[in-house]
Amino acid sequence: MNSVRKAIGDWFALQQKVPFDWQESVWEAIPAGRPGMLNAPTGSGKTYAMFLGALCANPRPGGLRVLWITPLRALAKDAVRSMQEAADAVAPGVRVALRTGDTPAAEKARQERNPPHTMVITPESLHVLLSRQGASAMFASLTLIVVDEWHELLGSKRGVQTELAIARLRTIAPDVLVWGVSATIGNMAEATAVLHGRRDVTVIRATVHKNMERITILPDAIERFPWSGHMGLLLLEKAEHIVASLTSTLVFTNTRNQAEVWYQQFLDAYDHYAGTMALHHGSLDQHVRTWVEDALHAGTVKVVFCTASLDLGVDFTPVDGVIQVGSPKSVARYLQRAGRSGHRPGATSRIWLLPTQALELVEAAALHDAVEAETLESRRPILEPMDVLVQWLVTLACGEGFTHDLVAEVRSTYAYQHLSDDRWAWAVDFVTRGGVGLQAYEDFHKVRLADDGRYRIASRSQALRHRLSIGTISSDAMIAVKLQRGSTLGHIEESFIGKLEEGSTFWFAGRCLEFIRVRDMVAEVRPSTSTTGIVPQWMGGRMPLSSSLAQHVRMRLHEAANGHLRGPEMTCVRPVLDVQERTSRVPRQDELLMEELVDRDGHHLFVYPFEGRLVHEGMAALFALRLASIRPASYSLAMNDYGFEILSDSPIPLTEALQHGLLSTSNLSTDILGTVNAALLARRRFRDISRIAGLVFNGFPSKQKRARQLQASSELFFDVFTQYDASNALLQQAHEEALLEQLDEERMRLALERMNTQKLIRITVERPSPFGFPILVDRLRERLSTEKLEDRIKKMQAHFVGAEAAQALPFRGDGPTFLAPPKQPRERRRRRRP
Amino acid sequence: MTITLATIQAELLAERALYLPALHAVVCSDVHLGKTSTFRHHGLAVPDGPHITDLQRLDALVRRPGSASCAQLIVVGDLVHARHNHEWERFAAVRATWDNAVTLVSGNHDHHAMAFAQRAGIAVTPFLELGSMAFVHSPEDAHHGPDITICGHLHPAVVLHGRARQKLRLPCFWHRGSIFVLPAFGSFTGSMTITPQHGDRVWAIAADAVHAVHQT
């Protein structure tokens, strides 16, 4: 036992704690030079396990020894705090430093002059560091890389960024040891393989047993509980009772918009909480979030309304209860959030699920089953994303440059292990010549072959622009919201700000603000005394029901249909299921329900496979295509986690289509590819891809001017590529992503096979059933048409003339000038004082 | 499609341009020459194709055979996108083969193009008045007086709604009062959705045809 192990022992004894066996296993394995995977949930003591293990192997300062990669900035700060504390106790002189986008420039410079022993960093910031000259020198002394919350990174493009960075670091420091830390997911073995390849790995499982109490908040009158919606404010009073009974509560919502609305409504109804309640989500400025986190630690806030931004991270000891607004849609998320409460030794984690619509009660019941059966979701790793590869090439070109030898390093990652020579050549061509084959490339300036035979960035301004874009993976163009005299409150999507007019009011960071103007990517605002205002809606938002959970939902419905109602949730929701059974049917396990409805909108067909939103998106498109092959028609499609709707202006030839194999699995792949919808889904996928690949440039932050002449939407790029460069690998990737994630042939085939074995129940309904209603009112719609454009326009024209005249436009001055008014954002919820 | 603007006959072309028989003039707007090359110069890898097809389309318009021949081409602003590049020269080469007049009513993007225009034989003016018609770039620059002012700048598009919640977004011509707005000619340009008002006339361009969509 070395001296550090002894110091650790003393330190634990001082705090009257005893290390867990699995923590000691980690402390053995790291100094022994064995790579590994620690399977441990948040708040189990995994940070100490990993970091003290790192100190056992590297007890003395001197160069950068340990790199700690973490997915969330909010997490990073806490990790640094507890790690520095531990280092001070057992290995004096060891410095732990934080490196994220928020780190001040002076601190960054200091870190480069005098590297800390341990650096806590996000994947984006790591990429920025690797885009600098001198990256090799900085990382040459590295001995250990820890990837924290690996389950969170896996399955996202940030995970692929992490893989690429680790491959680079393995080249720079060949003996570096890699450890992953992951919560339990359905595909642990795969998660390990993505990080370690075929290496021999030590897997250590943290055995932490925690008591958990899961309660569902039930509405008093289910008859008056809505069939659709997602706010859940009807149950505000019950939520307050829970908050009042606890020391400190986290209220989790699924979207930032919901968190803002809940915060306002709660404050409105219970103003004595003013000063002891807070808001925390990813769009708020770092200093706001830090304040909230500190207050949570100190126990000075009673309730915090938050989103996934507080899913991870070290524990807030005072928190003794969690309220989840709306279905968490996944078992793993439910357990993760429950685990954010009850951290005193021997305490119980408590989670209340607050349903926002009637059928979420069924999901709540299914969640209990899933937790008991331990059916956890898998995270599927992303394979060969060309946008990330293109970004990576430019990143390296900004720093020390690269040669064609880099391909071996790239292929050493899991994501690119099968990267073909063609695709590699395409990626290099794309960044050096603009990827257009025979067309003019002389004027293309991005990466060029330098005199030393390495590919390097063409100019400093290109490098600057690229570094700015690295952080924008999976986030839209964001505009800072700043008080006219004061601090930055956070960031909102540009599309929302674009809809505001001078003087209009909106809610953000829990305050009502008046919009003044946008200047250089900053929206200036002042506090408003108005009580009405719109709440911004951020993109993203809708999480699909996981297939693991979907399966339990089907089972619960089957039971209910047979009169077997287990648990309070099912008893409560019974009247709604009774309406469903009376007006239509609650499908049994061996039944496939289809409902037909005619109203003034047209002819509706509802189908309920209960496979989750993503599968329904593809399946609705497949159905529409097969229906339209019988007779040309235009369809609009809507879907949720339970089923989908096909809407047409003419009768839907369902009987005919069923005879012609509507549910057939033959020709499935051709049919999937043929859905017009595939193009639409690909178009949507292309939004992120074009940003990551650096096609869409959002301008420089603050002070500097926006590069207006370089702005074009991803839509426009998609069209231009489709027309002029159809073999573009980014375009292909967009189609592949859509196919893989939304039009997944394998999942669709399994679902269709299951549906084929089921008895088809066709029911004509007079009005939407409880199952159909939430789909019917959904405004997010896909469209598919096999009619001629001209015919469609003629139909629409007939419809258009009858439409009401639009509102008058504002004329400016006295001249005959005019401009279209900015679109008024739909007001979602007005705030009223009692 | 032939329409009447004030008392003037005009033909709406699916190539995103307007033909005025009385003046033997083709009018278009917002060509944004050189936009793809500007992007490529800054390392944004957009294919080179759009400007080539745009030029072909323009050339075909100018060489219209028969009675509808083109004696002059009027571009109501934003002929070029940003700084000079090879796309401009390609345009100049095509322009050299035309024997008609080319007039540019300068727009907000055109300030870089003054010397080039002179060299390429393009007359530049901030404002053009021919009979009872005026030509300006932005609708905001229109004055009282002329019966009809033809302009561009907005890149208008219209959203059509149908039964069963069908939706279609198309570039369009837009007429309100004494103002007539042309769609953007360049194919690598975005567009802005307009909200037609009572009394407006809108013609959408779909595939290779022009359709009147909003007439009251």
Side-chain angles (χ1 to χ4, degrees):
Chain A
M1 190 182 281
N2 66 23
S3 62
V4 178
R5 278 298 293 278
K6 191 173 167 305
I8 294 173
D10 293 348
W11 189 50
F12 268 69
L14 194 70
Q15 300 174 82
Q16 298 181 324
K17 283 201 274 190
V18 182
F20 298 112
D21 290 347
W22 56 268
Q23 285 179 319
E24 297 200 73
S25 307
V26 178
W27 301 340
E28 298 290 337
I30 294 179
R34 296 200 300 268
M37 174 66 79
L38 173 62
N39 177 358
T42 302
S44 56
K46 63 182 171 117
T47 308
Y48 286 144
M50 290 309 306
F51 182 62
L52 294 175
L55 289 180
C56 289
N58 306 277
R60 268 171 291 280
L64 179 62
R65 313 302 296 257
V66 180
L67 198 61
W68 187 283
I69 304 172
T70 174
L72 279 185
R73 290 186 206 181
L75 263 180
K77 203 175 70 55
D78 283 322
V80 169
R81 185 159 43 192
S82 51
M83 282 154 73
Q84 187 65 62
E85 205 178 305
D88 291 346
V90 307
V94 162
R95 189 159 59 90
V96 183
L98 177 65
R99 180 101 181 189
T100 69
D102 298 326
T103 308
E107 168 65 13
K108 284 181 183 167
R110 197 168 79 98
Q111 289 171 4
E112 274 148 50
R113 271 197 317 276
N114 179 17
H117 173 279
T118 298
M119 186 181 273
V120 179
I121 198 165
T122 55
E124 291 81 7
S125 291
L126 178 53
H127 273 232
V128 171
L129 269 185
L130 288 169
S131 79
R132 291 180 195 286
Q133 290 286 354
S136 297
M138 182 167 193
F139 292 110
S141 57
L142 205 60
T143 61
L144 177 69
I145 302 169
V146 177
V147 187
D148 202 2
E149 311 276 1
W150 174 233
H151 62 280
E152 198 60 34
L153 288 169
L154 184 76
S156 76
K157 287 180 180 169
R158 301 174 78 210
V160 179
Q161 282 188 319
T162 308
E163 288 179 56
L164 284 168
I166 290 175
R168 184 91 276 264
L169 294 172
R170 280 186 164 130
T171 305
I172 296 172
D175 296 326
V176 72
L177 205 59
V178 176
W179 272 76
V181 184
S182 169
T184 308
I185 51 175
N187 54 334
M188 273 319 289
E190 190 177 24
T192 308
V194 174
L195 200 57
H196 292 286
R198 276 185 224 95
R199 290 176 188 81
D200 193 19
V201 183
T202 305
V203 176
I204 294 172
R205 204 178 161 159
T207 42
V208 183
H209 184 76
K210 204 134 132 219
N211 293 321
M212 187 175 291
E213 220 174 282
R214 304 177 313 256
I215 308 150
T216 305
I217 303 175
L218 303 175
D220 290 329
I222 188 75
E223 296 76 19
R224 269 178 283 138
F225 203 61
W227 289 356
S228 78
H230 63 285
M231 278 301 167
L233 290 164
L234 270 179
L235 297 177
L236 188 74
E237 194 185 333
K238 294 201 175 214
E240 194 273 336
H241 286 322
I242 294 165
V243 170
S245 71
L246 298 171
T247 313
S248 182
T249 313
L250 295 180
V251 180
F252 278 100
T253 61
N254 287 340
T255 66
R256 285 167 277 184
N257 172 271
Q258 261 175 308
E260 290 267 355
V261 170
W262 264 83
Y263 178 87
Q264 272 171 46
Q265 298 287 322
F266 198 88
L267 184 59
D268 230 22
Y270 309 103
D271 51 12
H272 58 277
Y273 281 94
T276 59
M277 57 187 280
L279 188 58
H280 190 289
H281 60 67
S283 288
L284 296 178
D285 199 64
Q286 181 68 31
H287 77 264
V288 179
R289 282 184 277 156
T290 307
W291 181 87
V292 176
E293 287 158 30
D294 289 344
L296 270 171
H297 276 296
T300 54
V301 279
K302 188 126 178 76
V303 53
V304 175
F305 297 86
C306 57
T307 63
S309 61
L310 281 185
D311 267 0
L312 306 170
V314 298
D315 310 316
F316 303 114
T317 317
V319 173
D320 50 1
V322 164
I323 298 176
Q324 161 70 35
V325 176
S327 163
K329 299 288 177 195
S330 117
V331 191
R333 193 175 296 117
Y334 183 61
L335 290 178
Q336 175 77 26
R337 290 182 174 175
R340 303 304 279 148
S341 66
H343 272 291
R344 287 178 217 282
T348 302
S349 292
R350 276 183 290 189
I351 185 165
W352 283 264
L353 177 61
L354 186 145
T356 58
Q357 49 172 294
L359 288 176
E360 278 185 349
L361 287 163
V362 181
E363 273 177 62
L367 272 169
H368 293 318
D369 295 349
V371 170
E372 274 145 35
E374 291 186 30
T375 26
L376 288 175
E377 290 85 7
S378 299
R379 302 262 169 118
R380 208 193 286 207
I382 292 182
L383 293 178
E384 223 170 272
M386 294 305 285
D387 51 349
V388 178
L389 181 59
V390 162
Q391 189 192 55
W392 179 235
L393 291 183
V394 181
T395 299
L396 293 180
C398 289
E400 296 170 346
F402 67 91
T403 67
H404 277 281
D405 294 342
L406 181 69
V407 68
E409 183 186 298
V410 168
R411 283 188 185 136
S412 74
T413 62
Y414 189 89
Y416 299 100
Q417 55 185 327
H418 301 303
L419 184 73
S420 69
D421 289 345
D422 282 354
R423 280 214 154 177
W424 168 256
W426 181 88
V428 175
D429 201 54
F430 186 77
V431 299
T432 52
R433 311 202 313 169
V436 277
L438 296 173
Q439 293 179 45
Y441 57 83
E442 315 83 35
D443 55 348
F444 185 76
H445 290 274
K446 188 144 198 170
V447 173
R448 56 169 58 136
L449 197 55
D451 298 335
D452 60 355
R454 301 181 75 79
Y455 286 102
R456 292 181 184 278
I457 197 83
S459 68
R460 282 172 56 101
S461 66
Q462 286 286 352
L464 175 64
R465 243 181 28 217
H466 180 71
R467 290 197 185 101
L468 284 171
S469 75
I470 289 178
T472 62
I473 212 159
S474 75
S475 73
D476 210 0
M478 297 296 250
I479 284 200
V481 178
K482 189 176 170 299
L483 288 171
Q484 204 179 16
R485 285 182 198 82
S487 57
T488 304
L489 296 173
H491 292 80
I492 301 189
E493 255 121 16
E494 190 185 0
S495 51
F496 176 80
I497 295 286
K499 290 175 191 160
L500 294 175
E501 276 181 286
E502 191 187 328
S504 49
T505 52
F506 66 102
W507 283 91
F508 181 65
R511 0 184 9 171
C512 193
L513 303 168
E514 183 187 329
F515 175 70
I516 305 170
R517 68 175 83 82
V518 175
R519 204 153 52 187
D520 306 327
M521 300 298 276
V522 175
E524 288 179 15
V525 297
R526 65 169 77 96
S528 165
T529 48
S530 162
T531 51
T532 57
I534 43 181
V535 181
Q537 280 197 301
W538 286 265
M539 313 281 269
R542 299 199 186 199
M543 289 177 294
L545 188 70
S546 74
S547 54
S548 323
L549 194 51
Q551 166 198 333
H552 289 286
V553 169
R554 282 200 299 269
M555 199 58 220
R556 280 288 190 156
L557 287 174
H558 174 74
E559 286 178 12
N562 289 319
H564 182 39
L565 298 160
R566 273 190 297 131
E569 293 91 354
M570 296 306 285
T571 313
C572 178
V573 77
R574 181 184 181 157
V576 178
L577 296 180
D578 284 347
V579 175
Q580 176 69 28
E581 183 74 9
R582 212 167 42 242
T583 57
S584 170
R585 187 166 173 89
V586 176
R588 278 60 173 171
Q589 208 51 334
D590 57 345
E591 290 173 352
L592 171 65
L593 175 66
M594 294 193 191
E595 292 170 349
E596 288 165 279
L597 168 73
V598 182
D599 66 7
R600 67 193 173 109
D601 265 344
H603 301 257
H604 306 254
L605 169 67
F606 296 92
V607 184
Y608 303 100
F610 286 91
E611 284 284 345
R613 185 182 182 89
L614 283 181
V615 175
H616 293 159
E617 226 168 293
M619 201 178 279
L622 179 74
F623 271 46
L625 178 86
R626 288 178 169 178
L627 287 166
S629 71
I630 290 177
R631 191 178 314 142
S634 299
Y635 294 119
S636 96
L637 317 172
M639 63 285 305
N640 69 4
D641 287 319
Y642 305 149
F644 57 88
E645 176 210 353
I646 293 176
L647 170 61
S648 169
D649 57 354
S650 51
I652 297 174
L654 180 60
T655 311
E656 241 176 305
L658 283 167
Q659 284 161 2
H660 283 86
L662 181 63
L663 299 175
S664 158
T665 52
S666 56
N667 292 329
L668 186 58
S669 24
T670 2
D671 281 359
I672 290 174
L673 282 171
T675 55
V676 178
N677 198 292
L680 284 176
L681 294 176
R683 181 180 288 268
R684 207 181 310 145
R685 291 275 158 185
F686 198 70
R687 286 214 326 228
D688 272 353
I689 293 172
S690 57
R691 197 161 42 225
I692 295 166
L695 285 173
V696 176
F697 179 57
N698 290 324
F700 299 102
S702 67
K703 302 204 176 67
Q704 304 189 45
K705 287 283 162 264
R706 302 193 60 183
R708 270 247 171 255
Q709 80 278 13
L710 294 182
Q711 311 232 318
S713 64
S714 67
E715 292 264 309
L716 202 52
F717 275 106
F718 187 87
D719 288 338
V720 168
F721 281 137
T722 305
Q723 199 178 344
Y724 299 100
D725 188 15
S727 62
N728 185 293
L730 296 174
L731 196 61
Q732 288 175 5
Q733 183 193 335
H735 286 278
E736 281 162 19
E737 279 183 19
L739 275 178
L740 203 68
E741 285 173 44
Q742 272 141 314
L743 304 167
D744 181 352
E745 192 182 331
E746 208 38 51
R747 267 183 84 181
M748 202 115 79
R749 186 182 300 276
L750 287 173
L752 285 172
E753 273 165 10
R754 189 174 57 76
M755 287 156 75
N756 268 310
T757 64
Q758 292 173 319
K759 197 168 111 202
L760 178 65
I761 309 278
R762 259 178 87 172
I763 294 173
T764 304
V765 290
E766 302 272 299
R767 61 178 73 99
S769 70
F771 284 6
F773 184 74
I775 313 180
L776 184 84
V777 296
D778 198 336
R779 289 172 157 274
L780 267 186
R781 281 177 177 262
E782 307 284 343
R783 289 170 184 86
L784 179 143
S785 178
T786 51
E787 289 178 297
K788 279 200 229 122
L789 194 57
E790 194 152 352
D791 294 342
R792 290 181 68 195
I793 292 173
K794 279 189 185 133
K795 271 193 199 169
M796 287 186 179
Q797 261 165 267
H799 204 71
F800 210 96
V801 174
E804 281 174 45
Q807 78 212 76
L809 306 189
F811 278 69
R812 289 205 201 156
D814 53 2
T817 61
F818 67 89
L819 280 169
K823 259 189 262 165
Q824 283 294 322
R826 207 154 27 92
E827 292 212 7
R828 290 198 55 82
R829 180 163 290 283
R830 282 178 183 276
R831 180 181 143 112
R832 288 193 191 86
R833 289 215 178 271
Chain B
M1 174 173 290
T2 305
I3 59 161
T4 312
L5 292 171
T7 57
I8 301 144
Q9 281 246 318
E11 205 180 315
L12 306 181
L13 308 175
E15 290 88 350
R16 304 191 185 186
L18 179 74
Y19 182 69
L20 299 169
L23 300 170
H24 291 282
V26 170
V27 190
C28 66
S29 179
D30 302 279
V31 184
H32 288 271
L33 268 181
K35 185 169 178 186
T36 52
S37 294
T38 301
F39 271 54
R40 292 174 59 75
H41 179 79
H42 286 92
L44 300 166
V46 54
D48 224 6
H51 91 269
I52 298 170
T53 43
D54 283 356
L55 266 185
Q56 286 166 349
R57 199 152 44 96
L58 194 60
D59 191 44
L61 275 177
V62 169
R63 294 174 189 280
R64 287 163 64 83
S67 60
S69 66
C70 171
Q72 60 173 325
L73 172 69
I74 301 169
V75 181
V76 287
D78 290 358
L79 172 67
V80 301
H81 183 66
R83 285 176 193 284
H84 178 271
N85 60 43
H86 74 96
E87 289 180 37
W88 296 24
E89 292 310 320
R90 226 181 268 201
F91 170 79
V94 172
R95 193 267 172 268
T97 66
W98 302 339
D99 45 18
N100 51 355
V102 178
T103 307
L104 169 63
V105 180
S106 58
N108 47 323
H109 279 264
D110 292 317
H111 56 277
H112 295 301
M114 296 306 167
F116 166 77
Q118 200 173 22
R119 187 155 52 80
I122 300 167
V124 184
T125 168
F127 181 81
L128 181 66
E129 211 165 321
L130 297 172
S132 54
M133 304 180 84
F135 300 84
V136 295
H137 176 53
S138 163
E140 293 199 67
D141 302 333
H143 299 287
H144 284 296
D147 291 347
I148 188 84
T149 300
I150 294 175
C151 49
H153 186 61
L154 297 180
H155 302 206
V158 68
V159 176
L160 305 182
H161 297 271
R163 255 170 67 91
R165 303 188 197 174
Q166 290 292 320
K167 230 164 92 172
L168 210 52
R169 188 170 184 276
L170 300 164
C172 67
F173 297 94
W174 184 21
H175 182 206
R176 168 177 300 173
S178 64
I179 304 239
F180 185 81
V181 187
L182 291 169
F185 185 84
S187 44
F188 188 57
T189 56
S191 55
M192 182 192 86
T193 305
I194 60 164
T195 316
Q197 178 188 340
H198 189 80
D200 287 6
R201 292 194 293 169
V202 176
W203 297 267
I205 302 170
D208 45 10
V210 178
H211 303 267
V213 291
H214 188 266
Q215 277 165 326
T216 42

